[in-house]
Amino acid sequence: DTSTCQVPTGYDMCATKLENGKCDAAWGSTLGCGCAGKALDKDAFGIKVLKSNADFAAAEEDARQMMCFAGGEAGKTSPALSYAKEKAAADEDLKWMYFGATSGASMFYPGYLWGFDGDGQCGVGYDPRVRPWYAAGVSGPKDVILVFDNTYDTTLISSTDRDWDYLNLAAKMIIQSLTPDDRVSVVSVKALQGEEYDDFSLYATSPNEFLVPATFTYRTKLVDHVASLGTANGVNSDYLIPMRKAFAIANASDVAGRSSNCNRVYVFFTGARHGGN
């Protein structure tokens, strides 16, 4: 019930001024800071709404709840703010504490301003729900196998480049949401042309035969790998070919003790027409 809240102890992170901000060089820099380091308010939270969210009304309501949570009830000290300040004082290496809602709203401690880019936009590309810390919190350790059927049937897709861009972007978001506690693999399809013009044989390939810890370095390599995948236009695919490879990698990882021993998900990307049995 937001009616019992006192004046919120929190900032709209897309505001133009941080009323009680003080520059702290230990926190790096930020857009529009105007000082050496980052302007922070260690007596407040920062709250941000993802304005590109399809359910913007839900995000605004979550932001109001966060403001209430940050400010506490009238006449009382906010337990959330007291907790954040105590944790920060007890651990000098602890810089940020943050919370993300399913609507895309987010709350940060200490409070700061996000800043605006050259187009006057305030963090439009930041969605807490695809950040590693959020994904790890809601799902725990997991195995993720991305399966690409990158053999496109031109009779079904009029603009393969456009559709491939969408699949590439989706895969990138998934890969970048992983943490080193997760295990990941990518499987794709290649087509070898035979003697006849329309004679193709398909086979599945992967950069690894086991699931691999999703470290920052390996995530970066996988993003580049996915971006480099080509397409074989006019080829009817057999979905079972890459899926068999994905299952083989998962089974080999289980036997070798290289899985997360927790959740597992297969993500299938395709734009082709199934031509197998």
Side-chain angles (χ1 to χ4, degrees):
D1 180 8
T2 57
S3 63
T4 61
C5 293
Q6 64 180 8
V7 176
T9 309
Y11 286 98
D12 174 3
M13 296 176 70
C14 290
T16 57
K17 184 178 180 180
L18 193 67
E19 294 294 338
N20 301 312
K22 295 181 179 179
C23 292
D24 194 320
W27 260 259
S29 60
T30 190
L31 292 171
C33 177
C35 68
K38 188 185 292 289
L40 307 170
D41 186 346
K42 297 182 181 179
D43 291 317
F45 288 92
I47 297 171
K48 185 175 181 296
V49 175
L50 183 65
K51 294 185 178 180
S52 59
N53 189 357
D55 193 358
F56 183 62
E60 282 194 313
E61 177 57 30
D62 280 340
R64 284 191 289 268
Q65 294 292 340
M66 289 177 182
M67 294 290 278
C68 185
F69 181 70
E73 295 184 15
K76 298 181 180 179
T77 302
S78 165
L81 183 59
S82 297
Y83 176 83
K85 294 174 70 172
E86 289 171 5
K87 286 293 183 180
D91 185 353
E92 63 180 10
D93 293 325
L94 177 61
K95 287 189 173 181
W96 299 113
M97 285 171 265
Y98 28 75
F99 168 80
T102 56
S103 65
S106 50
M107 181 168 72
F108 297 79
Y109 178 84
Y112 74 100
L113 297 183
W114 198 274
F116 294 84
D117 60 24
D119 296 325
Q121 301 295 318
C122 177
V124 293
Y126 182 87
D127 187 339
R129 297 167 296 183
V130 297
R131 303 296 293 180
W133 58 266
Y134 183 94
V138 298
S139 67
K142 55 192 173 295
D143 301 332
V144 178
I145 303 178
L146 281 68
V147 184
F148 288 89
D149 175 20
N150 48 308
T151 52
Y152 282 81
D153 182 354
T154 54
T155 65
L156 296 182
I157 296 179
S158 59
S159 178
T160 58
D161 289 339
R162 179 194 63 195
D163 288 274
W164 181 249
D165 287 344
Y166 291 153
L167 296 183
N168 198 342
L169 177 61
K172 180 179 179 180
M173 292 177 66
I174 293 172
I175 293 170
Q176 291 182 334
S177 74
L178 302 176
T179 75
D181 290 331
D182 300 318
R183 302 294 182 267
V184 62
S185 181
V186 170
V187 177
S188 60
V189 174
K190 287 192 175 182
L192 294 180
Q193 187 170 1
E195 295 181 0
E196 301 296 329
Y197 175 77
D198 59 350
D199 178 20
F200 289 89
S201 61
L202 302 177
Y203 69 97
T205 182
S206 175
N208 47 270
E209 296 301 316
F210 299 94
L211 291 163
V212 178
T215 62
F216 175 81
T217 299
Y218 194 64
R219 295 197 305 269
T220 302
K221 289 182 178 179
L222 282 187
V223 168
D224 292 340
H225 172 72
V226 170
S228 71
L229 294 178
T231 61
N233 293 333
V235 179
N236 286 343
S237 182
D238 184 345
Y239 299 166
L240 296 180
I241 292 176
M243 290 306 300
R244 288 193 187 104
K245 179 70 172 180
F247 292 143
I249 290 174
N251 291 336
S253 300
D254 288 338
V255 172
R258 297 191 181 186
S259 70
S260 67
N261 293 316
C262 198
N263 302 307
R264 176 169 293 162
V265 59
Y266 298 86
V267 186
F268 188 66
F269 300 84
T270 186
R273 176 170 57 189
H274 182 65
N277 297 321

mmCIF file of all heavy atoms in Angstrom, residues 90-109:
data_model
loop_
_atom_site.group_PDB
_atom_site.id
_atom_site.type_symbol
_atom_site.label_atom_id
_atom_site.label_comp_id
_atom_site.label_asym_id
_atom_site.label_seq_id
_atom_site.Cartn_x
_atom_site.Cartn_y
_atom_site.Cartn_z
ATOM 1 N N ALA A 90 30.159 -2.421 5.855
ATOM 2 C CA ALA A 90 30.864 -3.602 6.354
ATOM 3 C C ALA A 90 31.814 -4.207 5.319
ATOM 4 O O ALA A 90 32.713 -4.969 5.678
ATOM 5 C CB ALA A 90 29.851 -4.654 6.803
ATOM 6 N N ASP A 91 31.634 -3.865 4.049
ATOM 7 C CA ASP A 91 32.456 -4.462 2.987
ATOM 8 C C ASP A 91 32.860 -3.366 2.018
ATOM 9 O O ASP A 91 32.069 -2.926 1.192
ATOM 10 C CB ASP A 91 31.668 -5.557 2.266
ATOM 11 C CG ASP A 91 32.502 -6.307 1.239
ATOM 12 O OD1 ASP A 91 33.658 -5.899 0.982
ATOM 13 O OD2 ASP A 91 31.986 -7.302 0.687
ATOM 14 N N GLU A 92 34.104 -2.940 2.096
ATOM 15 C CA GLU A 92 34.566 -1.833 1.249
ATOM 16 C C GLU A 92 34.634 -2.231 -0.226
ATOM 17 O O GLU A 92 34.695 -1.365 -1.104
ATOM 18 C CB GLU A 92 35.934 -1.351 1.723
ATOM 19 C CG GLU A 92 37.038 -2.388 1.627
ATOM 20 C CD GLU A 92 38.378 -1.866 2.102
ATOM 21 O OE1 GLU A 92 38.412 -0.757 2.685
ATOM 22 O OE2 GLU A 92 39.395 -2.551 1.877
ATOM 23 N N ASP A 93 34.648 -3.537 -0.523
ATOM 24 C CA ASP A 93 34.691 -3.988 -1.910
ATOM 25 C C ASP A 93 33.292 -4.100 -2.526
ATOM 26 O O ASP A 93 33.159 -4.340 -3.722
ATOM 27 C CB ASP A 93 35.390 -5.349 -2.008
ATOM 28 C CG ASP A 93 36.871 -5.262 -1.668
ATOM 29 O OD1 ASP A 93 37.487 -4.231 -2.005
ATOM 30 O OD2 ASP A 93 37.400 -6.209 -1.069
ATOM 31 N N LEU A 94 32.270 -3.955 -1.702
ATOM 32 C CA LEU A 94 30.907 -4.025 -2.207
ATOM 33 C C LEU A 94 30.500 -2.647 -2.734
ATOM 34 O O LEU A 94 30.349 -1.704 -1.959
ATOM 35 C CB LEU A 94 29.943 -4.469 -1.095
ATOM 36 C CG LEU A 94 28.456 -4.517 -1.454
ATOM 37 C CD1 LEU A 94 28.198 -5.499 -2.588
ATOM 38 C CD2 LEU A 94 27.620 -4.880 -0.226
ATOM 39 N N LYS A 95 30.286 -2.556 -4.023
ATOM 40 C CA LYS A 95 29.945 -1.264 -4.618
ATOM 41 C C LYS A 95 28.456 -1.130 -4.888
ATOM 42 O O LYS A 95 27.835 -0.143 -4.519
ATOM 43 C CB LYS A 95 30.724 -1.060 -5.921
ATOM 44 C CG LYS A 95 32.201 -0.755 -5.703
ATOM 45 C CD LYS A 95 32.871 -0.335 -7.006
ATOM 46 C CE LYS A 95 34.299 0.134 -6.763
ATOM 47 N NZ LYS A 95 34.953 0.567 -8.021
ATOM 48 N N TRP A 96 27.884 -2.132 -5.585
ATOM 49 C CA TRP A 96 26.501 -2.000 -6.027
ATOM 50 C C TRP A 96 25.601 -3.063 -5.423
ATOM 51 O O TRP A 96 25.989 -4.216 -5.270
ATOM 52 C CB TRP A 96 26.405 -2.118 -7.552
ATOM 53 C CG TRP A 96 27.164 -1.070 -8.296
ATOM 54 C CD1 TRP A 96 28.267 -1.249 -9.083
ATOM 55 C CD2 TRP A 96 26.884 0.335 -8.328
ATOM 56 N NE1 TRP A 96 28.688 -0.057 -9.605
ATOM 57 C CE2 TRP A 96 27.854 0.935 -9.160
ATOM 58 C CE3 TRP A 96 25.907 1.132 -7.748
ATOM 59 C CZ2 TRP A 96 27.868 2.296 -9.420
ATOM 60 C CZ3 TRP A 96 25.926 2.489 -8.008
ATOM 61 C CH2 TRP A 96 26.904 3.057 -8.835
ATOM 62 N N MET A 97 24.401 -2.657 -5.091
ATOM 63 C CA MET A 97 23.332 -3.579 -4.747
ATOM 64 C C MET A 97 22.156 -3.235 -5.649
ATOM 65 O O MET A 97 21.828 -2.056 -5.813
ATOM 66 C CB MET A 97 22.935 -3.437 -3.271
ATOM 67 C CG MET A 97 23.949 -4.055 -2.322
ATOM 68 S SD MET A 97 23.623 -3.677 -0.587
ATOM 69 C CE MET A 97 24.702 -2.244 -0.388
ATOM 70 N N TYR A 98 21.547 -4.240 -6.272
ATOM 71 C CA TYR A 98 20.476 -3.934 -7.203
ATOM 72 C C TYR A 98 19.407 -5.013 -7.216
ATOM 73 O O TYR A 98 19.620 -6.159 -6.830
ATOM 74 C CB TYR A 98 21.002 -3.714 -8.629
ATOM 75 C CG TYR A 98 22.265 -4.443 -9.000
ATOM 76 C CD1 TYR A 98 22.271 -5.808 -9.258
ATOM 77 C CD2 TYR A 98 23.468 -3.746 -9.097
ATOM 78 C CE1 TYR A 98 23.433 -6.455 -9.620
ATOM 79 C CE2 TYR A 98 24.634 -4.382 -9.456
ATOM 80 C CZ TYR A 98 24.619 -5.741 -9.720
ATOM 81 O OH TYR A 98 25.770 -6.382 -10.071
ATOM 82 N N PHE A 99 18.241 -4.589 -7.665
ATOM 83 C CA PHE A 99 17.077 -5.452 -7.715
ATOM 84 C C PHE A 99 16.354 -5.208 -9.029
ATOM 85 O O PHE A 99 16.204 -4.068 -9.465
ATOM 86 C CB PHE A 99 16.132 -5.146 -6.549
ATOM 87 C CG PHE A 99 14.775 -5.787 -6.666
ATOM 88 C CD1 PHE A 99 14.592 -7.109 -6.323
ATOM 89 C CD2 PHE A 99 13.688 -5.060 -7.135
ATOM 90 C CE1 PHE A 99 13.348 -7.717 -6.447
ATOM 91 C CE2 PHE A 99 12.436 -5.646 -7.262
ATOM 92 C CZ PHE A 99 12.271 -6.981 -6.912
ATOM 93 N N GLY A 100 15.905 -6.280 -9.683
ATOM 94 C CA GLY A 100 15.156 -6.148 -10.915
ATOM 95 C C GLY A 100 13.816 -6.846 -10.800
ATOM 96 O O GLY A 100 13.714 -7.920 -10.197
ATOM 97 N N ALA A 101 12.778 -6.244 -11.342
ATOM 98 C CA ALA A 101 11.437 -6.822 -11.317
ATOM 99 C C ALA A 101 11.121 -7.466 -12.654
ATOM 100 O O ALA A 101 11.753 -7.170 -13.677
ATOM 101 C CB ALA A 101 10.401 -5.738 -11.004
ATOM 102 N N THR A 102 10.118 -8.346 -12.664
ATOM 103 C CA THR A 102 9.729 -9.024 -13.898
ATOM 104 C C THR A 102 9.200 -8.054 -14.947
ATOM 105 O O THR A 102 9.153 -8.380 -16.125
ATOM 106 C CB THR A 102 8.656 -10.080 -13.610
ATOM 107 O OG1 THR A 102 7.542 -9.462 -12.949
ATOM 108 C CG2 THR A 102 9.212 -11.190 -12.717
ATOM 109 N N SER A 103 8.811 -6.860 -14.524
ATOM 110 C CA SER A 103 8.303 -5.852 -15.459
ATOM 111 C C SER A 103 9.414 -5.090 -16.163
ATOM 112 O O SER A 103 9.168 -4.353 -17.116
ATOM 113 C CB SER A 103 7.426 -4.851 -14.703
ATOM 114 O OG SER A 103 8.219 -4.117 -13.766
ATOM 115 N N GLY A 104 10.655 -5.221 -15.674
ATOM 116 C CA GLY A 104 11.773 -4.474 -16.239
ATOM 117 C C GLY A 104 12.191 -3.278 -15.416
ATOM 118 O O GLY A 104 13.198 -2.637 -15.717
ATOM 119 N N ALA A 105 11.435 -2.960 -14.345
ATOM 120 C CA ALA A 105 11.841 -1.887 -13.434
ATOM 121 C C ALA A 105 13.029 -2.370 -12.597
ATOM 122 O O ALA A 105 13.174 -3.567 -12.324
ATOM 123 C CB ALA A 105 10.688 -1.493 -12.526
ATOM 124 N N SER A 106 13.890 -1.451 -12.182
ATOM 125 C CA SER A 106 15.066 -1.832 -11.407
ATOM 126 C C SER A 106 15.394 -0.776 -10.359
ATOM 127 O O SER A 106 15.021 0.393 -10.483
ATOM 128 C CB SER A 106 16.277 -2.053 -12.329
ATOM 129 O OG SER A 106 16.450 -0.958 -13.211
ATOM 130 N N MET A 107 16.096 -1.223 -9.309
ATOM 131 C CA MET A 107 16.462 -0.339 -8.201
ATOM 132 C C MET A 107 17.926 -0.593 -7.839
ATOM 133 O O MET A 107 18.363 -1.746 -7.749
ATOM 134 C CB MET A 107 15.562 -0.609 -6.997
ATOM 135 C CG MET A 107 15.850 0.281 -5.797
ATOM 136 S SD MET A 107 14.539 0.159 -4.531
ATOM 137 C CE MET A 107 14.847 -1.472 -3.880
ATOM 138 N N PHE A 108 18.674 0.481 -7.633
ATOM 139 C CA PHE A 108 20.110 0.393 -7.379
ATOM 140 C C PHE A 108 20.480 1.151 -6.103
ATOM 141 O O PHE A 108 19.874 2.178 -5.771
ATOM 142 C CB PHE A 108 20.906 1.002 -8.544
ATOM 143 C CG PHE A 108 20.737 0.305 -9.855
ATOM 144 C CD1 PHE A 108 19.608 0.522 -10.626
ATOM 145 C CD2 PHE A 108 21.695 -0.565 -10.333
ATOM 146 C CE1 PHE A 108 19.432 -0.115 -11.837
ATOM 147 C CE2 PHE A 108 21.545 -1.201 -11.548
ATOM 148 C CZ PHE A 108 20.411 -0.976 -12.301
ATOM 149 N N TYR A 109 21.486 0.632 -5.417
ATOM 150 C CA TYR A 109 22.091 1.372 -4.313
ATOM 151 C C TYR A 109 23.597 1.365 -4.530
ATOM 152 O O TYR A 109 24.164 0.331 -4.856
ATOM 153 C CB TYR A 109 21.774 0.760 -2.948
ATOM 154 C CG TYR A 109 22.468 1.520 -1.825
ATOM 155 C CD1 TYR A 109 21.896 2.659 -1.279
ATOM 156 C CD2 TYR A 109 23.713 1.107 -1.359
ATOM 157 C CE1 TYR A 109 22.546 3.375 -0.289
ATOM 158 C CE2 TYR A 109 24.377 1.822 -0.375
ATOM 159 C CZ TYR A 109 23.796 2.953 0.161
ATOM 160 O OH TYR A 109 24.446 3.668 1.132
#
